[in-house]
Amino acid sequence: QVQLVESGGDLVQPGGSLRLSCAASGFTLNSYALGWFRQAPGKQREGVSCIGNIDRATSYVQSVEGRFTISRDNVKNTLYLQMTSLKPEDTAVYFCAADPRRMRFGLNTCPAWSFTFRGQGTRVTVAS
């Protein structure tokens, strides 16, 4: 059974940092397209960052480029999102997602909300 469990969400001040984790079970991350998307109150879901499973290239939405870093640990079977220089507009519930279809992502393109599997989300609040 495929399962994704996020953790690491918290209340943090503007300019602060957080690392989100997504522990996977029931499948191996290495062969899946992976990503994070977020849902803020009153806003549409937004793909934040993706890793393709064709070329392993990463993609970020423009608003987080240079501040967020997606990575994975194949030994721990865990996906991460390192977030720095956080802004109030980063406040949202963050979801990790995975898809077995072969995918490659273009510049600033990350349709993670459309992936086959997703976790339950972890809340990030950026406020002073």
Short mmCIF file of all heavy atoms in Angstrom, two decimals, residues 53-91:
data_model
loop_
_atom_site.label_atom_id
_atom_site.label_comp_id
_atom_site.label_asym_id
_atom_site.label_seq_id
_atom_site.Cartn_x
_atom_site.Cartn_y
_atom_site.Cartn_z
N ASN A 53 11.32 11.84 -13.20
CA ASN A 53 11.93 10.51 -13.14
C ASN A 53 12.46 10.07 -14.50
O ASN A 53 12.73 8.90 -14.71
CB ASN A 53 10.95 9.47 -12.57
CG ASN A 53 9.64 9.41 -13.34
OD1 ASN A 53 9.41 10.21 -14.25
ND2 ASN A 53 8.80 8.49 -12.99
N ILE A 54 12.59 11.01 -15.41
CA ILE A 54 13.25 10.74 -16.68
C ILE A 54 14.68 11.26 -16.63
O ILE A 54 15.63 10.54 -16.89
CB ILE A 54 12.49 11.38 -17.86
CG1 ILE A 54 11.13 10.71 -18.03
CG2 ILE A 54 13.32 11.27 -19.15
CD1 ILE A 54 10.28 11.32 -19.12
N ASP A 55 14.81 12.54 -16.26
CA ASP A 55 16.14 13.15 -16.23
C ASP A 55 16.57 13.60 -14.85
O ASP A 55 17.64 14.18 -14.69
CB ASP A 55 16.20 14.33 -17.21
CG ASP A 55 15.10 15.36 -16.93
OD1 ASP A 55 14.43 15.26 -15.88
OD2 ASP A 55 14.91 16.26 -17.76
N ARG A 56 15.71 13.38 -13.85
CA ARG A 56 16.01 13.76 -12.46
C ARG A 56 16.15 15.26 -12.27
O ARG A 56 16.60 15.70 -11.21
CB ARG A 56 17.29 13.08 -11.95
CG ARG A 56 17.33 11.59 -12.15
CD ARG A 56 16.25 10.89 -11.41
NE ARG A 56 16.41 9.44 -11.47
CZ ARG A 56 15.48 8.56 -11.14
NH1 ARG A 56 14.30 8.99 -10.73
NH2 ARG A 56 15.72 7.27 -11.22
N ALA A 57 15.78 16.04 -13.27
CA ALA A 57 15.89 17.48 -13.13
C ALA A 57 14.81 18.00 -12.18
O ALA A 57 13.73 17.43 -12.07
CB ALA A 57 15.75 18.15 -14.49
N THR A 58 15.13 19.10 -11.50
CA THR A 58 14.19 19.71 -10.58
C THR A 58 13.56 20.95 -11.19
O THR A 58 14.12 21.59 -12.08
CB THR A 58 14.87 20.10 -9.27
OG1 THR A 58 15.96 20.99 -9.56
CG2 THR A 58 15.43 18.88 -8.56
N SER A 59 12.38 21.28 -10.71
CA SER A 59 11.68 22.45 -11.17
C SER A 59 11.03 23.13 -9.98
O SER A 59 10.57 22.47 -9.05
CB SER A 59 10.60 22.07 -12.19
OG SER A 59 9.88 23.21 -12.61
N TYR A 60 11.01 24.46 -10.00
CA TYR A 60 10.43 25.24 -8.90
C TYR A 60 9.49 26.30 -9.46
O TYR A 60 9.76 26.90 -10.51
CB TYR A 60 11.53 25.95 -8.11
CG TYR A 60 12.51 25.03 -7.44
CD1 TYR A 60 13.65 24.59 -8.11
CD2 TYR A 60 12.30 24.58 -6.14
CE1 TYR A 60 14.54 23.72 -7.50
CE2 TYR A 60 13.19 23.72 -5.52
CZ TYR A 60 14.30 23.30 -6.21
OH TYR A 60 15.19 22.44 -5.60
N VAL A 61 8.42 26.55 -8.71
CA VAL A 61 7.59 27.69 -9.06
C VAL A 61 8.42 28.95 -8.84
O VAL A 61 9.28 29.01 -7.94
CB VAL A 61 6.30 27.71 -8.22
CG1 VAL A 61 6.60 27.95 -6.75
CG2 VAL A 61 5.31 28.72 -8.75
N GLN A 62 8.21 29.94 -9.65
CA GLN A 62 9.08 31.11 -9.65
C GLN A 62 9.15 31.79 -8.29
O GLN A 62 10.19 32.31 -7.89
CB GLN A 62 8.61 32.10 -10.71
CG GLN A 62 9.68 33.08 -11.16
CD GLN A 62 9.32 33.78 -12.45
OE1 GLN A 62 8.22 33.64 -12.97
NE2 GLN A 62 10.25 34.55 -12.98
N SER A 63 8.06 31.78 -7.55
CA SER A 63 8.01 32.51 -6.28
C SER A 63 8.90 31.90 -5.20
O SER A 63 9.19 32.56 -4.20
CB SER A 63 6.57 32.57 -5.78
OG SER A 63 6.06 31.27 -5.56
N VAL A 64 9.34 30.65 -5.37
CA VAL A 64 10.19 30.02 -4.36
C VAL A 64 11.59 29.74 -4.89
O VAL A 64 12.46 29.29 -4.12
CB VAL A 64 9.58 28.71 -3.83
CG1 VAL A 64 8.14 28.92 -3.38
CG2 VAL A 64 9.69 27.58 -4.84
N GLU A 65 11.83 30.00 -6.15
CA GLU A 65 13.14 29.71 -6.75
C GLU A 65 14.23 30.46 -6.00
O GLU A 65 14.11 31.66 -5.72
CB GLU A 65 13.13 30.10 -8.22
CG GLU A 65 14.05 29.26 -9.07
CD GLU A 65 13.69 29.34 -10.54
OE1 GLU A 65 12.99 30.28 -10.94
OE2 GLU A 65 14.10 28.44 -11.28
N GLY A 66 15.28 29.75 -5.65
CA GLY A 66 16.38 30.34 -4.89
C GLY A 66 16.19 30.30 -3.39
O GLY A 66 17.13 30.56 -2.64
N ARG A 67 14.98 29.99 -2.94
CA ARG A 67 14.72 29.92 -1.49
C ARG A 67 14.42 28.48 -1.04
O ARG A 67 14.73 28.12 0.09
CB ARG A 67 13.52 30.81 -1.14
CG ARG A 67 13.71 32.27 -1.46
CD ARG A 67 12.57 33.13 -0.89
NE ARG A 67 11.28 32.80 -1.47
CZ ARG A 67 10.23 32.40 -0.76
NH1 ARG A 67 10.31 32.25 0.56
NH2 ARG A 67 9.08 32.14 -1.36
N PHE A 68 13.80 27.70 -1.88
CA PHE A 68 13.42 26.32 -1.54
C PHE A 68 14.30 25.35 -2.31
O PHE A 68 14.70 25.61 -3.45
CB PHE A 68 11.96 26.05 -1.91
CG PHE A 68 10.94 26.76 -1.07
CD1 PHE A 68 11.27 27.77 -0.19
CD2 PHE A 68 9.60 26.40 -1.16
CE1 PHE A 68 10.32 28.43 0.57
CE2 PHE A 68 8.63 27.03 -0.41
CZ PHE A 68 8.99 28.05 0.45
N THR A 69 14.56 24.19 -1.69
CA THR A 69 15.33 23.13 -2.34
C THR A 69 14.65 21.79 -2.11
O THR A 69 14.42 21.42 -0.96
CB THR A 69 16.76 23.08 -1.81
OG1 THR A 69 17.38 24.35 -1.98
CG2 THR A 69 17.57 22.02 -2.56
N ILE A 70 14.37 21.09 -3.18
CA ILE A 70 13.80 19.74 -3.08
C ILE A 70 14.92 18.72 -3.17
O ILE A 70 15.89 18.90 -3.92
CB ILE A 70 12.75 19.51 -4.18
CG1 ILE A 70 11.96 18.22 -3.94
CG2 ILE A 70 13.38 19.51 -5.58
CD1 ILE A 70 10.77 18.04 -4.88
N SER A 71 14.81 17.67 -2.37
CA SER A 71 15.83 16.63 -2.40
C SER A 71 15.20 15.34 -1.90
O SER A 71 14.10 15.33 -1.37
CB SER A 71 17.03 17.01 -1.54
OG SER A 71 16.65 17.10 -0.18
N ARG A 72 15.94 14.25 -2.08
CA ARG A 72 15.44 12.98 -1.57
C ARG A 72 16.59 12.14 -1.07
O ARG A 72 17.73 12.29 -1.51
CB ARG A 72 14.68 12.21 -2.64
CG ARG A 72 15.53 11.74 -3.77
CD ARG A 72 14.78 10.79 -4.67
NE ARG A 72 15.57 10.63 -5.87
CZ ARG A 72 15.07 10.70 -7.09
NH1 ARG A 72 13.79 10.89 -7.27
NH2 ARG A 72 15.84 10.54 -8.12
N ASP A 73 16.28 11.28 -0.13
CA ASP A 73 17.23 10.32 0.41
C ASP A 73 16.73 8.94 0.03
O ASP A 73 15.72 8.47 0.57
CB ASP A 73 17.32 10.49 1.94
CG ASP A 73 18.38 9.61 2.56
OD1 ASP A 73 18.58 8.47 2.07
OD2 ASP A 73 18.98 10.04 3.55
N ASN A 74 17.41 8.31 -0.91
CA ASN A 74 16.94 7.01 -1.40
C ASN A 74 17.08 5.92 -0.35
O ASN A 74 16.31 4.95 -0.36
CB ASN A 74 17.70 6.62 -2.67
CG ASN A 74 17.32 7.50 -3.84
OD1 ASN A 74 16.22 8.04 -3.90
ND2 ASN A 74 18.24 7.66 -4.79
N VAL A 75 18.02 6.06 0.55
CA VAL A 75 18.20 5.06 1.60
C VAL A 75 17.04 5.14 2.60
O VAL A 75 16.47 4.12 2.99
CB VAL A 75 19.54 5.26 2.32
CG1 VAL A 75 19.65 4.33 3.52
CG2 VAL A 75 20.70 5.06 1.35
N LYS A 76 16.68 6.36 2.98
CA LYS A 76 15.57 6.55 3.92
C LYS A 76 14.22 6.55 3.21
O LYS A 76 13.19 6.60 3.88
CB LYS A 76 15.76 7.86 4.68
CG LYS A 76 16.98 7.87 5.59
CD LYS A 76 17.08 9.18 6.36
CE LYS A 76 18.28 9.17 7.30
NZ LYS A 76 18.40 10.44 8.06
N ASN A 77 14.25 6.56 1.88
CA ASN A 77 13.00 6.61 1.11
C ASN A 77 12.15 7.80 1.51
O ASN A 77 10.93 7.69 1.75
CB ASN A 77 12.20 5.31 1.26
CG ASN A 77 11.42 4.96 -0.01
OD1 ASN A 77 11.86 5.23 -1.13
ND2 ASN A 77 10.26 4.35 0.18
N THR A 78 12.80 8.94 1.61
CA THR A 78 12.17 10.16 2.11
C THR A 78 12.45 11.33 1.17
O THR A 78 13.56 11.48 0.67
CB THR A 78 12.68 10.49 3.52
OG1 THR A 78 12.35 9.40 4.39
CG2 THR A 78 12.04 11.77 4.05
N LEU A 79 11.42 12.13 0.95
CA LEU A 79 11.52 13.35 0.15
C LEU A 79 11.56 14.53 1.10
O LEU A 79 10.90 14.52 2.14
CB LEU A 79 10.32 13.44 -0.78
CG LEU A 79 10.21 14.65 -1.70
CD1 LEU A 79 11.28 14.58 -2.80
CD2 LEU A 79 8.81 14.73 -2.31
N TYR A 80 12.33 15.55 0.74
CA TYR A 80 12.47 16.73 1.59
C TYR A 80 12.16 18.00 0.80
O TYR A 80 12.28 18.05 -0.42
CB TYR A 80 13.90 16.83 2.14
CG TYR A 80 14.33 15.67 2.97
CD1 TYR A 80 15.15 14.67 2.43
CD2 TYR A 80 13.93 15.54 4.29
CE1 TYR A 80 15.56 13.59 3.19
CE2 TYR A 80 14.34 14.46 5.07
CZ TYR A 80 15.14 13.49 4.51
OH TYR A 80 15.54 12.42 5.27
N LEU A 81 11.79 19.03 1.55
CA LEU A 81 11.70 20.37 1.00
C LEU A 81 12.33 21.32 2.02
O LEU A 81 11.77 21.55 3.08
CB LEU A 81 10.26 20.78 0.71
CG LEU A 81 10.10 22.13 0.02
CD1 LEU A 81 10.65 22.07 -1.41
CD2 LEU A 81 8.64 22.59 0.00
N GLN A 82 13.52 21.80 1.70
CA GLN A 82 14.19 22.78 2.55
C GLN A 82 13.71 24.16 2.15
O GLN A 82 13.83 24.55 0.98
CB GLN A 82 15.70 22.68 2.38
CG GLN A 82 16.48 23.68 3.21
CD GLN A 82 16.39 23.41 4.71
OE1 GLN A 82 16.59 22.28 5.15
NE2 GLN A 82 16.07 24.43 5.48
N MET A 83 13.18 24.88 3.11
CA MET A 83 12.61 26.20 2.84
C MET A 83 13.37 27.24 3.65
O MET A 83 13.48 27.12 4.87
CB MET A 83 11.12 26.23 3.21
CG MET A 83 10.31 25.12 2.55
SD MET A 83 8.54 25.27 2.85
CE MET A 83 8.50 24.97 4.61
N THR A 84 13.88 28.25 2.98
CA THR A 84 14.61 29.33 3.64
C THR A 84 13.99 30.67 3.26
O THR A 84 13.19 30.76 2.33
CB THR A 84 16.10 29.32 3.26
OG1 THR A 84 16.21 29.56 1.85
CG2 THR A 84 16.73 27.98 3.60
N SER A 85 14.39 31.71 3.99
CA SER A 85 13.89 33.07 3.74
C SER A 85 12.37 33.06 3.57
O SER A 85 11.82 33.66 2.64
CB SER A 85 14.55 33.64 2.47
OG SER A 85 15.96 33.67 2.61
N LEU A 86 11.71 32.42 4.50
CA LEU A 86 10.26 32.25 4.40
C LEU A 86 9.54 33.58 4.49
O LEU A 86 9.96 34.50 5.23
CB LEU A 86 9.76 31.29 5.47
CG LEU A 86 10.03 29.81 5.15
CD1 LEU A 86 9.95 28.96 6.40
CD2 LEU A 86 9.03 29.33 4.10
N LYS A 87 8.45 33.68 3.75
CA LYS A 87 7.62 34.89 3.69
C LYS A 87 6.20 34.55 4.13
O LYS A 87 5.77 33.41 4.02
CB LYS A 87 7.60 35.42 2.26
CG LYS A 87 8.96 35.68 1.65
CD LYS A 87 8.83 36.09 0.19
CE LYS A 87 10.19 36.34 -0.43
NZ LYS A 87 10.06 36.75 -1.86
N PRO A 88 5.46 35.55 4.59
CA PRO A 88 4.06 35.28 4.98
C PRO A 88 3.26 34.63 3.86
O PRO A 88 2.38 33.81 4.13
CB PRO A 88 3.54 36.67 5.32
CG PRO A 88 4.75 37.42 5.80
CD PRO A 88 5.88 36.92 4.94
N GLU A 89 3.56 34.96 2.62
CA GLU A 89 2.82 34.37 1.50
C GLU A 89 3.15 32.90 1.26
O GLU A 89 2.53 32.25 0.44
CB GLU A 89 3.04 35.17 0.21
CG GLU A 89 4.49 35.44 -0.12
CD GLU A 89 4.95 36.81 0.36
OE1 GLU A 89 4.60 37.21 1.49
OE2 GLU A 89 5.69 37.48 -0.42
N ASP A 90 4.12 32.36 1.99
CA ASP A 90 4.41 30.92 1.93
C ASP A 90 3.49 30.12 2.87
O ASP A 90 3.53 28.89 2.86
CB ASP A 90 5.86 30.64 2.31
CG ASP A 90 6.85 31.23 1.31
OD1 ASP A 90 6.61 31.14 0.10
OD2 ASP A 90 7.88 31.79 1.77
N THR A 91 2.71 30.81 3.66
CA THR A 91 1.79 30.15 4.57
C THR A 91 0.79 29.29 3.80
O THR A 91 0.12 29.76 2.89
CB THR A 91 1.03 31.19 5.42
OG1 THR A 91 1.96 31.87 6.26
CG2 THR A 91 -0.03 30.51 6.28
#
